[in-house]
Amino acid sequence: PMGSERTEIRKRQMATTPETPGAAQAQLSTGNRGSNACCFCWCCCCSCSCLTVRNQEEERTRRTSHELQAEGIPNCEESPAPTLEEVNAWAQSFDKLMLTPAGRNAFREFLRTEFSEENMLFWMACEELKQESNKSVIEEKARLIYEDYISILSPKEVSLDSRVREVINRNMLEPSQHTFDDAQLQIYTLMHRDSYPRFMNSAIYKDLLQSLSEKSIEA
């Protein structure tokens, strides 16, 4: 009986004795490891998810930008292949180059390499506007031209001086076929003086001229 009583007392003492510092520290460390593991796991998952979403958004943005860019470039005009005589005539004057669809197409191809194709697109849109007679169609096309090539918010904005912009803003109150005449002339002059000389020295023009010359000799 005495032995069993001592055993019972020892059990009670062990039950009421606080944990040793080492044991408490061990338990604390274990708890921290568990907490850190959960936190690390969560952070890792969160980071992976964020990166995945971010990559998807960037890819979507790139794809959308590319699609919009492709949609924003109208197809070239339909025209027969230029003759050697026509291509030689382009070197005589800018007016002769702009008179033919084949000349405008070749020049547009060059402007695209210089990231200034909007100048030709604007000029062509103005030419198209001049052919309209229906008032509602004129107003709609004038609005689109303004948004695409005149607005400072447009990525295809053409370079115009303040005087011409003021004229356009006044004309837009009552749009007509000639709303953009001053601006069209300014852009035509810009292409003539700035881009045309470089086009005549470009590989695009020289290769076309050489190709037609060789075909002429073979014939």
Side-chain angles (χ1 to χ4, degrees):
M2 184 64 69
S4 60
E5 185 177 356
R6 288 198 187 95
T7 302
E8 186 65 27
I9 293 172
R10 192 178 296 114
K11 287 181 180 181
R12 290 176 183 175
Q13 288 175 344
M14 291 178 64
T16 57
T17 300
E19 293 176 323
T20 63
Q25 184 65 33
Q27 183 178 1
L28 182 61
S29 298
T30 304
N32 285 343
R33 282 198 299 271
S35 175
N36 287 341
C38 293
C39 181
F40 175 79
C41 234
W42 177 83
C43 290
C44 180
C45 293
C46 178
S47 299
C48 290
S49 299
C50 289
L51 287 174
T52 301
V53 172
R54 187 182 307 163
N55 291 336
Q56 290 174 346
E57 288 296 328
E58 290 177 354
E59 178 63 27
R60 188 179 300 112
T61 301
R62 285 194 297 269
R63 184 170 61 252
T64 302
S65 176
H66 176 74
E67 291 170 354
L68 288 176
Q69 183 180 9
E71 292 173 0
I73 300 178
N75 292 328
C76 290
E77 299 175 80
E78 292 185 2
S79 69
T83 64
L84 178 60
E85 290 73 20
E86 285 178 330
V87 176
N88 278 320
W90 298 348
Q92 297 173 13
S93 73
F94 183 60
D95 292 339
K96 290 184 177 180
L97 169 70
M98 293 289 285
L99 278 174
T100 64
R104 292 192 294 269
N105 285 340
F107 190 50
R108 274 185 64 186
E109 184 181 352
F110 169 74
L111 292 178
R112 193 173 301 166
T113 66
E114 293 200 334
F115 304 100
S116 59
E117 186 185 14
E118 66 275 2
N119 290 331
M120 175 65 82
L121 296 179
F122 170 68
W123 185 88
M124 293 172 62
C126 292
E127 286 295 295
E128 185 178 331
L129 178 64
K130 291 177 182 179
Q131 307 305 315
E132 294 294 341
S133 57
N134 184 286
K135 184 178 180 180
S136 60
V137 174
I138 290 172
E139 291 178 349
E140 177 64 14
K141 287 192 174 184
R143 181 185 63 81
L144 291 175
I145 291 174
Y146 188 93
E147 291 178 355
D148 285 345
Y149 305 107
I150 309 301
S151 171
I152 59 175
L153 300 178
S154 173
K156 297 186 292 184
E157 177 194 5
V158 296
S159 179
L160 300 170
D161 61 36
S162 58
R163 180 192 66 81
V164 172
R165 286 185 175 275
E166 290 176 3
V167 171
I168 292 174
N169 290 333
R170 288 197 300 268
N171 291 343
M172 285 299 293
L173 296 176
E174 293 185 10
S176 72
Q177 300 100 316
H178 305 289
T179 293
F180 305 100
D181 281 3
D182 287 350
Q184 186 186 21
L185 177 59
Q186 190 169 86
I187 293 303
Y188 187 91
T189 303
L190 175 66
M191 291 190 294
H192 183 189
R193 294 178 178 176
D194 185 58
S195 303
Y196 173 65
R198 291 197 297 275
F199 168 70
M200 298 311 304
N201 290 314
S202 69
I204 291 176
Y205 176 75
K206 291 180 177 179
D207 289 349
L208 177 60
L209 184 61
Q210 181 179 354
S211 173
L212 291 174
S213 297
E214 291 174 353
K215 289 181 180 178
S216 176
I217 293 173
E218 291 175 358

